[in-house]
């Protein structure tokens, strides 16, 4: 049971980590499905606690080199799981400036080096019997139990009507919908709000060998509109009326181009399939009012059905390129 528990934890941690990021990547149905698997693997990790605590107690008693690192790892996993449950149930979604979701993902990220070290330092050689019928049966029982526990937790959240019952399929909570003044200001990891002087600012559009510069006054003349939901990976969503110009209207010639690289003045970039140009709005206003610096003044991208980190703010240039749209790190690193 000891080997099996550790191997099961390895598979479950890998699954939880991967499905968490898949859920972040999409703003559509795959996000929900990967979150079901995500929650199931999270509950299965918790279900293994009685067995793992025996292993851990024995290990700690032996004071093997690095046991303190194993304890730090344990604390990080516990914090991550608790924050995940606080977020999903809605018991504590926001603590001052930081959200439970940020703590959830932050603790999981900090845990990575500890997890790698733990698995290498306490490695267990794989055996043929690890895939025996008995092992697989145990796995089935564990996953079945975890699935039931997850379904029961979702049921309880609804029956006693916790805030979690109101969350979107991505797990996010509504904040300030159709009230642009209440739209929170958030940045991806290390990105910072840029203060831009509109007078000197120009938007550079490079496509099909030509380069055109747009001043803000000229962009303000467009009034294309879309109602879209900004779903932030920090754990909130907000529906707003955006206006500006559909990107395809600014692109004279994109023959042969496969993707659009959208860059902000901070160096933050995202690449989109060229076919999406007709569905990407370069917004100059939200709720009829000019954007403020926190929301991307002078112009920001509105990318319906994509999570917030695709909605590039403070856009300075857009290039049609012959690179495929997947030619980028899946998540920005700044
Ligand atoms: C939820 C994830 C995990 C937590 C919180 C955790 C925690 C711990 C702790 C606190 C110890 C005792 C201190 C020590 O010996 O360093 C330990 C021991 C150990 N862990 Fe883990 N661990 C986890 C996952 C894993 C995984 C994925 C593996 C292997 C694939 C593993 C293999 C071991 C082994 C072999 C020991 C040594 C037991 C002994 O010496 O008696 N653990 N773990
Ligand atoms: C150590 C790794 C992780 C574990 C064990 C874990 C476990 C959990 C658990 C137990 C929940 C609560 C599930 C529920 O009650 O619905 C949860 C929620 C969530 N986790 Fe993780 N998680 C991990 C890492 C991540 C990462 C790296 C991400 C994103 C990049 C992530 C994204 C989410 C999201 C979006 C939710 C909310 C789901 C919802 O409210 O429906 N998780 N996680």
């Amino acid at each position: 049971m000891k080997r099996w528990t550790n191997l099961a934890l390895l598979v479950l941690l890998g699954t939880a980590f991967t499905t968490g990021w898949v859920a972040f990547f999409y703003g559509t149905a795959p996000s929900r499905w990967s979150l079901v698997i995500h929650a199931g693997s999270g509950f299965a990790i918790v279900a293994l606690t009685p067995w793992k605590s025996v292993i851990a107690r024995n290990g700690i008693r032996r004071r093997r080199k690095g046991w303190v690192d194993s304890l730090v790892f344990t604390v990080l996993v516990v914090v991550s799981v608790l924050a995940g449950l606080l977020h999903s149930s809605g018991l504590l979604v926001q603590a001052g400036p930081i959200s439970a979701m940020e703590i959830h993902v932050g603790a999981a990220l900090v845990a990575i080096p500890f997890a790698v070290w733990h698995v290498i330092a306490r490695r267990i050689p794989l055996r043929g019997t690890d895939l025996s019928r008995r092992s697989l049966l145990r796995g089935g029982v564990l996953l079945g139990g975890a699935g039931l526990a997850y379904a029961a937790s979702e049921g309880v959240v609804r029956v006693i009507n916790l805030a979690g019952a109101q969350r979107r399929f991505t797990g996010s909570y509504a904040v300030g919908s159709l009230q642009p003044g209440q739209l929170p200001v958030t940045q991806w990891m290390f990105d910072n709000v840029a203060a831009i002087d509109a007078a000197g600012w120009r938007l550079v559009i490079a496509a099909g060998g030509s380069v055109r510069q747009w001043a803000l006054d000229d962009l303000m003349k467009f009034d294309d509109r879309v109602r879209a939901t900004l779903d932030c990976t920090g754990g909130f969503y907000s529906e707003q009326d955006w206006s500006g110009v559909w990107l395809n209207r600014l692109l004279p010639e994109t023959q042969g181009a496969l993707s659009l690289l959208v860059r902000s003045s901070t160096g933050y970039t995202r690449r989109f399939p060229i076919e999406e140009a007709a569905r990407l709005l370069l917004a100059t206003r939200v709720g009829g009012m000019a954007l403020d610096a926190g929301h991307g003044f002078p112009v920001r991208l509105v990318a319906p059905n994509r999570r917030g980190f695709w909605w590039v703010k403070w856009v300075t240039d857009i290039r049609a390129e012959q690179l495929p749209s997947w030619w980028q790190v899946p998540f920005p690193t700044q």
Side-chain angles (χ1 to χ4, degrees):
M1 193 67 188
K2 178 174 156 182
R3 282 174 59 78
W4 187 87
T5 302
N6 285 332
L7 283 176
L9 281 175
L10 181 61
V11 173
L12 292 168
L13 281 175
T15 307
F17 201 76
T18 314
T19 49
W21 287 107
V22 171
F24 265 18
F25 193 78
Y26 292 98
T28 45
S31 173
R32 182 67 262 165
W33 288 113
S34 52
L35 282 180
V36 170
I37 303 173
H38 185 77
S41 42
F43 275 77
I45 291 174
V46 175
L48 286 174
T49 312
W51 290 275
K52 182 65 193 186
S53 47
V54 175
I55 301 172
R57 267 204 300 275
N58 286 337
I60 291 169
R61 209 172 294 135
R62 289 166 60 199
R63 293 280 188 278
R64 288 174 70 177
K65 191 164 170 287
W67 67 278
V68 177
D69 303 80
S70 303
L71 282 190
V72 175
F73 175 43
T74 308
V75 170
L76 290 168
V77 173
V78 171
V79 167
S80 179
V81 169
L82 283 180
L85 292 171
L86 286 177
H87 168 91
S88 295
S89 58
L91 287 174
L92 184 66
V93 177
Q94 189 80 28
I98 191 158
S99 70
M101 189 41 59
E102 283 161 346
I103 296 176
H104 178 62
V105 179
L109 282 174
V110 179
I112 297 177
F114 289 92
V116 171
W117 177 86
H118 191 75
V119 172
I120 293 174
R122 306 283 184 259
R123 70 181 156 273
I124 33 179
L126 291 177
R127 291 191 202 133
T129 49
D130 290 332
L131 281 178
S132 68
R133 249 182 80 175
R134 191 151 162 228
S135 296
L136 295 179
L137 212 66
R138 264 189 202 152
V141 172
L142 176 65
L143 290 184
L148 285 178
Y150 172 49
S153 78
E154 284 288 298
V156 169
V157 163
R158 278 168 181 72
V159 169
I160 58 176
N161 203 16
L162 293 178
Q166 311 299 328
R167 67 203 202 283
R168 202 174 179 241
F169 66 93
T170 54
S172 299
Y173 290 87
V175 175
S177 279
L178 302 181
Q179 292 171 306
Q182 287 179 33
L183 178 65
V185 173
T186 55
Q187 273 68 247
W188 185 255
M189 292 209 299
F190 311 116
D191 210 14
N192 280 314
V193 173
I196 293 178
D197 172 19
W201 176 89
R202 292 288 178 277
L203 171 71
V204 176
I205 302 264
S210 74
V211 177
R212 165 140 195 210
Q213 297 203 358
W214 290 84
L216 182 57
D217 285 347
D218 295 326
L219 290 172
M220 288 294 243
K221 290 176 188 147
F222 292 91
D223 193 20
D224 298 337
R225 296 174 188 194
V226 67
R227 179 169 284 188
T229 301
L230 173 56
D231 190 333
C232 177
T233 50
F236 77 85
Y237 74 87
S238 193
E239 192 181 37
Q240 302 292 345
D241 287 323
W242 301 91
S243 50
V245 52
W246 294 113
L247 269 194
N248 62 334
R249 301 231 271 153
L250 301 180
L251 293 166
E253 176 70 65
T254 56
Q255 229 172 26
L258 295 174
S259 63
L260 280 177
L261 185 67
V262 180
R263 182 187 303 274
S264 96
S265 72
T266 64
Y268 184 102
T269 59
R270 284 284 86 193
R271 189 183 289 284
F272 299 83
I274 195 86
E275 315 80 74
E276 226 175 290
R279 280 165 281 137
L280 293 171
L281 187 86
L282 196 64
T284 48
R285 300 180 201 87
V286 57
M289 296 180 310
L291 301 174
D292 58 24
H295 295 115
F297 179 84
V299 293
R300 72 135 356 129
L301 202 62
V302 169
N305 297 323
R306 284 183 180 263
R307 297 301 292 266
F309 70 93
W310 294 93
W311 296 41
V312 183
K313 302 197 257 193
W314 317 294
V315 177
T316 54
D317 64 87
I318 298 175
R319 292 172 194 276
E321 294 185 343
Q322 286 175 345
L323 291 165
S325 57
W326 48 262
W327 189 254
Q328 62 185 329
V329 280
F331 294 93
T333 49
Q334 77 179 89

